[in-house]
Amino acid sequence: MRKFLAALALLALSTFAIQAQAQFRASDICKMKRSQYERDQCLEYGLRGSMLRVKGNTQQLLDSSRVSESKKSILKIHKKWASKFESKCSDNECYYDMASDRNNELERIMAKYNIAPM
């Protein structure tokens, strides 16, 4: 019974953490920096890292033998995201948030196929 209650508590805590995380944008961390220069640097570095993760996670999905039937749909969705990424954003904050959101989507897909994300 204790194991069941512990598992239930862990599930509830995990659900709460995911919901709390969804309320914040990736760029919100950068807004806490003291100067505009620090905020700009934070956004630039965050964007670079997020884009590397998008590229790496997408490539891992496409290269994996576990993802055979849905590679075309993954590629199609990624191309759609990339065009939206280019047309919607005009500053690093928007780019950073969109790249972080895409990484979250990719990581959910990767978890489905038991693939470790970057």
Side-chain angles (χ1 to χ4, degrees):
M1 185 66 169
R2 286 186 185 191
K3 288 183 181 180
F4 174 73
L5 291 176
L8 187 61
L10 183 62
L11 179 63
L13 196 63
S14 298
T15 303
F16 175 74
I18 290 169
Q19 289 175 345
Q21 180 186 17
Q23 294 175 358
F24 297 101
R25 306 295 304 162
S27 61
D28 288 345
I29 292 170
C30 297
K31 291 177 184 174
M32 292 187 263
K33 300 294 181 183
R34 287 183 231 164
S35 70
Q36 186 62 45
Y37 175 78
E38 289 175 333
R39 286 187 286 277
D40 292 343
Q41 287 294 314
C42 178
L43 289 170
E44 185 177 334
Y45 294 146
L47 173 59
R48 286 182 190 178
S50 286
M51 288 306 294
L52 286 172
R53 283 181 52 223
V54 167
K55 183 178 179 180
N57 286 337
T58 302
Q59 196 60 51
Q60 275 186 277
L61 277 170
L62 296 175
D63 291 345
S64 175
S65 60
R66 297 178 189 159
V67 188
S68 57
E69 72 283 344
S70 58
K71 285 184 183 182
K72 287 183 181 180
S73 72
I74 290 169
L75 196 54
K76 182 180 175 182
I77 291 168
H78 184 73
K79 286 181 180 181
K80 185 176 177 180
W81 171 82
S83 74
K84 185 177 177 184
F85 180 81
E86 290 298 324
S87 66
K88 181 181 176 188
C89 292
S90 60
D91 63 358
N92 281 350
E93 183 176 348
C94 177
Y95 288 127
Y96 183 23
D97 289 336
M98 282 192 70
S100 294
D101 291 343
R102 180 64 181 152
N103 274 315
N104 290 337
E105 292 170 9
L106 289 169
E107 288 175 7
R108 282 192 293 275
I109 296 168
M110 293 173 92
K112 178 178 158 185
Y113 292 103
N114 199 24
I115 300 170
M118 288 186 71

